[in-house]
């Protein structure tokens, strides 16, 4: 059998690769028949005027990929691939599916002046260069110990919590952590109660893991514990510091009642404290976890809203009683947050920048919140009322809107405004609105745009 | 009713916080009875010699938290909390649970000289400062478009794949992406076949989502497609470039047979290409995805082994036919990888550093691989045989070990060696061993340690 490739001596491709590609194509196209014998390495080397090594390299690549086989003492033979029709697409097809671009919203994200990027960068450069960080090894599955210590300290001192670092689990986003939590509790629990309206992305995770979902309707009075008691749920997902999206705060008597329910029913309370740090009227409301005597609260926190959404660092504090199960299933997962980011954040916290940062953003968002309220008042008069705005990074509004919910949603999206419709009737709509990402000098422009979306 | 707090004028705590804490403690301890009326703001201001604002601030914090309530025109009253026993733990309890520290392994991770950290740092600093990155907004749910383009290009040119950027989904780890994939396919599929032995952390995810698991035993001849055909699985998880952990390569006829199976059964093939880039004997084996004409291969890749384990960036290429479902469920998830890291990586790839890096690590690991083999040969003679070592970052060994599997595992862990036992009998054990993290100058020491673990 003769092989007669044409070589391109000017190509950047090594000769053995050109030979390999030539033979492979001959086999695929059927020109080299199954079971036919290839020239021996010595023969090919002589006839093609190539070194034996070149031939050897090409042949071994073809053997490794299974196009030819080396039969001891007999030589190299073409494998039988005729059963399968090769039709390898050699050029990248232009996809016919429309590129589904993500929408960027005017009001999403955090304030551009809020973050001390030069400090972060300085710490990053230090951490990456530091031998102790050991960026070359994978990190701790649970989260770097240094960061878990800082987080425990943060939860205890800034949020009134009560935890040790061994209860803290670090992960890339609350959803990921919830999946892990479900892995810990699923042998004992299968029904969860969620706030409605609430943080739907949490509900989805429970749904994905085949939990039964019970919707507890949140009213102006907040979370109705009576309804929870009547349900068969043993796990409840709540946002007591600042109910998402309605913005109500759960008063201490309800918190105690909820803890009481958990104790009596051997239940679990998942506390989502997504923006509990940011409150304008006074100090932050201490978290529910700190009131828990019976080891039944799971606390979820995230640095995305607090610090920078382009970082993905969240954490979960689990009760001590769940630690034994966690330690048995822990190695089923990998750590999802960059070790480098974890150590940078730990340094950021340890050196006091987090406390400074929180003070700063409280000032920034308080001002933004007031300017927004004033701008809305001036522009919309009594067509729009702000119902809740004393904490967090979104406000809840009620507006005399005559559009359908769908039309409103569409207009908002087109304008680049992220609008979360809570309820709507014929001539009234209640929605929540992120405002953290609106530039302070753009508040009037934003108000104009919102006016068009709502009333035109 | 009289309140008589003692203030500490030297405390760093604001007076209103001291007053708030005083009243809160009086309520919790039962000294302030339910329904008793607090002095009015005017009265308290006069009697305590504090400004009205201070009293107001303390009172509103107590109202917000639900300890007192403001009855219009009547004044402030203590809420009834007697039903619940308060026993707030004010100091952080020393946990009684042993801190479950993570073990760091001598042989895990990547080579310390493999990564051009100064380039990465330079790109990081540039990206963070660049307005276009917009670190203040959350990124794309699917992954930054810039990175997805670079990844598609990488898969097509370096791995012989065939994808557009709209098929690429970025996420923090293969496990996270698998969870997402299951969300896409679960309405049509519920049974998956996995390689045994194989990458168990993938199997766990399917288990978590209640998939039926069918174990297909991988032999010296690789993955037996006949066994797959006999099973009722419609989805199969394989590592064709470099079977994990056995290290076999799936030849092209089997690949075609597998694709044929998928076509005939409307099946899906999940290709885990965890270290397919690294092969010493010749070029990397092109991926299965590139041979797929019928849009049925999901390709999984990760930069953790290729680049740096302390970064968490993985990706998944899904077939075009899954895009419509993906776009409907996409917003159920958040992006789990830092946007900053994504953009830094995209720049790293675009500027050609990835190709350079891969060339470099191939050289480094090839040398390490050879040194290790020589060191094993010299030290262990015929008590240990390396079965497979021509690619990837681990080798497969067979050793004449008389210890029980459990004792061996324990001794390895204590010594800090990560050993993955594939099979063991009375006097023989087959295991795979990562070697990427062993320093080149520590290979002899490592061999000594391994010898102790195996044979003493």
């Amino acid at each position: 059998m003769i092989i007669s490739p044409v070589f391109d001596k000017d190509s950047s491709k090594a000769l053995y690769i050109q030979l390999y590609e030539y033979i492979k194509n001959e086999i695929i196209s059927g020109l080299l028949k199954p079971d036919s014998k290839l020239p021996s390495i010595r023969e090919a080397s002589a006839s093609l005027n190539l070194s034996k090594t070149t031939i050897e390299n090409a042949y071994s690549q073809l053997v490794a990929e299974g196009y030819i086989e080396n039969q001891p003492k007999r030589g190299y033979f073409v494998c039988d691939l005729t059963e399968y029709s090769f039709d390898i697409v050699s050029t990248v097809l232009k996809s016919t599916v429309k590129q589904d671009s993500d929408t960027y919203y005017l009001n999403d994200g955090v304030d551009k002046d809020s973050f001390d990027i030069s400090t972060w960068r300085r710490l990053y450069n230090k951490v990456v260069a530091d031998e102790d960080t050991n960026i070359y090894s994978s990190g701790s599955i649970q989260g770097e110990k240094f960061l878990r210590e800082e987080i425990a300290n943060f939860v205890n001192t800034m949020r009134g919590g009560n935890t040790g670092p061994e209860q803290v689990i670090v992960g890339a986003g609350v959803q990921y952590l919830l999946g892990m939590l479900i892995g810990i509790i699923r042998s004992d629990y299968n029904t969860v109660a969620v706030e409605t309206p609430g943080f739907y992305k949490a509900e989805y995770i429970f749904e994905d893991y085949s939990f039964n979902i019970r919707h507890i309707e949140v009213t102006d009075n907040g979370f109705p514990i009576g309804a929870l008691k009547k349900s068969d749920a043993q796990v409840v997902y709540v946002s007591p510091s600042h109910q998402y999206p309605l913005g109500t705060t759960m008063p201490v008597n309800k918190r105690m009642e909820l803890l009481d329910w958990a104790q009596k029913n051997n239940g679990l309370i998942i506390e989502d404290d997504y923006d509990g740090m940011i409150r304008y009227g006074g100090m932050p409301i201490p978290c529910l976890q700190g009131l828990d005597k019976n080891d039944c609260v799971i606390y979820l926190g995230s640095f995305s809203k607090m610090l920078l959404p382009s970082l993905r660092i969240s954490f979960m504090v689990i009760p001590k009683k769940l630690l034994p199960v966690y330690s048995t299933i822990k190695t089923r997962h990998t750590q999802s947050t960059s070790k480098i980011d974890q150590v940078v954040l730990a340094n950021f916290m340890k050196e006091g920048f987090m406390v400074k940062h929180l003070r700063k953003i409280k000032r920034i968002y308080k001002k933004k919140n007031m300017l927004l309220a004033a701008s809305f008042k001036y522009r919309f008069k009594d067509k729009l009322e702000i119902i809740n705005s004393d904490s967090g990074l979104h406000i809840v509004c009620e507006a005399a809107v005559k559009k359908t919910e769908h039309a409103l949603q569409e207009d908002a999206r087109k304008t680049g405004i992220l609008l979360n419709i809570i309820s709507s009737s014929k001539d009234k709509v209640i929605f929540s609105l992120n405002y953290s990402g609106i530039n302070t000098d753009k508040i009037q422009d934003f108000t104009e745009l919102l006016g068009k979306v709502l009333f035109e």
Side-chain angles (χ1 to χ4, degrees), chain A:
Chain A
M1 205 196 71
I2 297 161
I3 50 175
S4 47
V6 181
F7 293 105
D8 178 0
K9 303 259 175 191
D10 298 329
S11 165
S12 65
K13 275 185 191 165
L15 284 171
Y16 91 89
I17 297 178
Q18 294 186 47
L19 179 60
Y20 145 80
E21 285 179 348
Y22 168 80
I23 300 177
K24 180 166 146 182
N25 285 329
E26 296 284 288
I27 295 172
I28 289 171
S29 62
L31 293 173
L32 273 179
K33 300 281 177 248
D35 299 322
S36 54
K37 189 172 186 291
L38 288 176
S40 72
I41 289 171
R42 186 190 305 251
E43 284 161 8
S45 165
S47 71
L48 298 172
N49 199 18
L50 294 170
S51 78
K52 276 199 241 173
T53 314
T54 303
I55 313 291
E56 242 167 39
N57 286 342
Y59 280 16
S60 22
Q61 186 72 26
L62 289 163
V63 169
E65 295 187 20
Y67 287 97
I68 64 173
E69 62 176 335
N70 186 5
Q71 297 181 9
K73 300 197 183 149
R74 291 194 58 217
Y76 293 90
F77 291 82
V78 175
C79 294
D80 188 357
L81 306 168
T82 43
E83 234 184 287
Y84 316 104
S85 76
F86 272 87
D87 180 17
I88 297 168
V89 195
S90 58
T91 52
V92 179
L93 291 169
K94 276 275 166 239
S95 165
T96 51
V97 179
K98 199 175 114 274
Q99 176 77 11
D100 193 16
S101 66
D102 292 272
T103 316
Y104 288 87
Y105 294 103
L106 296 168
N107 51 327
D108 200 15
V110 298
D111 189 275
K112 290 196 172 35
D113 294 324
S114 64
F115 189 62
D116 181 359
I117 193 71
S118 66
T119 295
W120 186 267
R121 211 151 55 162
R122 178 174 62 74
L123 293 172
Y124 187 93
N125 288 324
K126 204 180 97 187
V127 162
V128 164
D130 186 355
E131 283 222 358
D132 287 345
T133 313
N134 196 358
I135 57 170
Y136 306 101
S137 78
S138 21
S140 156
I141 292 177
Q142 185 169 354
E144 296 302 304
K145 189 153 175 271
F146 178 17
L147 177 61
R148 288 190 282 111
E149 282 164 357
E150 287 302 320
I151 287 175
N153 184 40
F154 175 84
V155 171
N156 294 337
T157 58
M158 306 290 285
R159 302 297 302 119
N162 175 31
T163 180
E166 73 286 353
Q167 291 168 257
V168 177
I169 304 172
V170 178
V174 157
Q175 286 190 308
Y176 186 84
L177 291 166
L178 269 183
M180 203 177 292
L181 177 66
I182 290 169
I184 301 172
I185 66 174
R186 69 190 309 174
S187 55
D188 296 318
Y189 300 93
N190 63 8
T191 305
V192 65
V194 298
E195 297 169 323
T196 308
F199 179 55
Y200 296 115
K201 290 196 174 186
E203 186 179 329
Y204 294 151
I205 302 293
F206 285 104
E207 216 176 274
D208 282 353
Y209 284 95
S210 312
F211 262 60
N212 306 312
I213 316 278
R214 306 291 176 244
H215 293 98
I216 308 284
E217 214 162 304
V218 181
T219 65
D220 292 350
N221 283 320
F223 186 81
I225 296 182
L228 171 67
K229 286 179 178 166
K230 273 183 222 140
S231 83
D232 61 344
Q234 285 189 302
V235 182
V236 61
Y237 189 98
V238 287
S239 45
S241 299
H242 188 218
Q243 202 276 328
Y244 184 83
L246 293 170
T248 47
T249 299
M250 188 181 286
V252 67
N253 59 349
K254 274 207 186 171
R255 290 174 188 236
M256 298 308 286
E257 201 180 341
L258 198 57
L259 289 167
D260 196 54
W261 164 86
Q263 193 201 347
K264 284 182 182 143
N265 295 276
N266 190 25
L268 292 174
I269 302 165
I270 304 172
E271 173 179 27
D272 184 352
D273 198 39
Y274 66 105
D275 70 355
M277 274 313 298
I278 301 156
R279 183 160 176 266
Y280 312 116
M283 293 179 292
I285 309 288
C287 66
L288 181 62
Q289 197 267 353
L291 291 172
D292 175 24
K293 293 175 306 180
N294 294 302
D295 212 27
C296 58
V297 174
I298 294 107
Y299 177 95
L300 293 171
S302 163
F303 295 101
S304 291
K305 274 175 192 275
M306 220 189 292
L307 211 58
L308 213 54
S310 47
L311 294 173
R312 298 299 294 154
I313 314 180
S314 300
F315 62 94
M316 162 166 87
V317 174
I318 62 173
K320 291 200 192 73
K321 68 177 172 197
L322 296 184
L323 286 176
V325 182
Y326 172 62
S327 75
T328 64
I329 68 146
K330 165 174 187 177
T331 52
R332 291 171 72 103
H333 296 274
T334 49
Q335 172 55 248
S336 51
T337 298
S338 146
K339 180 178 173 181
I340 301 175
D341 284 349
Q342 288 185 56
V343 181
V344 175
L345 176 60
N347 276 290
F348 190 84
M349 295 173 91
K350 193 184 175 68
E351 295 185 17
F353 294 109
M354 183 62 86
V355 173
K356 235 163 121 178
H357 171 78
L358 286 170
R359 231 176 346 219
K360 184 172 169 190
I361 61 173
K362 191 167 155 173
R363 206 168 55 231
I364 291 177
Y365 292 128
K366 186 174 187 171
K367 186 177 162 199
K368 205 173 271 197
N369 187 310
M370 281 169 56
L371 288 173
L372 199 72
S375 176
F376 280 13
K377 185 96 202 147
Y378 178 81
R379 170 72 173 76
F380 303 133
K381 309 281 184 314
D382 53 4
K383 284 196 292 186
L384 183 147
E385 191 195 349
I386 296 178
I387 305 176
N388 201 313
S389 72
D390 85 321
S391 62
L393 304 178
H394 68 265
I395 53 176
V396 180
C397 306
E398 181 179 319
V401 171
K402 290 189 171 60
K403 288 184 186 181
T404 66
E405 187 171 332
H406 181 256
L408 184 59
Q409 204 66 275
E410 266 303 286
D411 289 351
R413 202 187 48 78
K414 275 188 217 144
T415 316
I417 294 179
L418 185 62
L419 205 72
N420 177 19
I421 299 176
I422 295 168
S423 73
S424 73
S425 62
K426 204 159 51 71
D427 49 9
K428 199 179 88 176
V429 64
I430 296 177
F431 59 90
S432 75
L433 187 76
N434 271 40
Y435 63 87
S436 47
I438 312 170
N439 279 358
T440 307
D441 58 353
K442 291 275 195 295
I443 281 181
Q444 260 183 293
D445 299 352
F446 181 83
T447 307
E448 281 308 314
L449 285 174
L450 181 66
K452 281 191 183 129
V453 168
L454 295 175
F455 306 116
E456 283 176 23

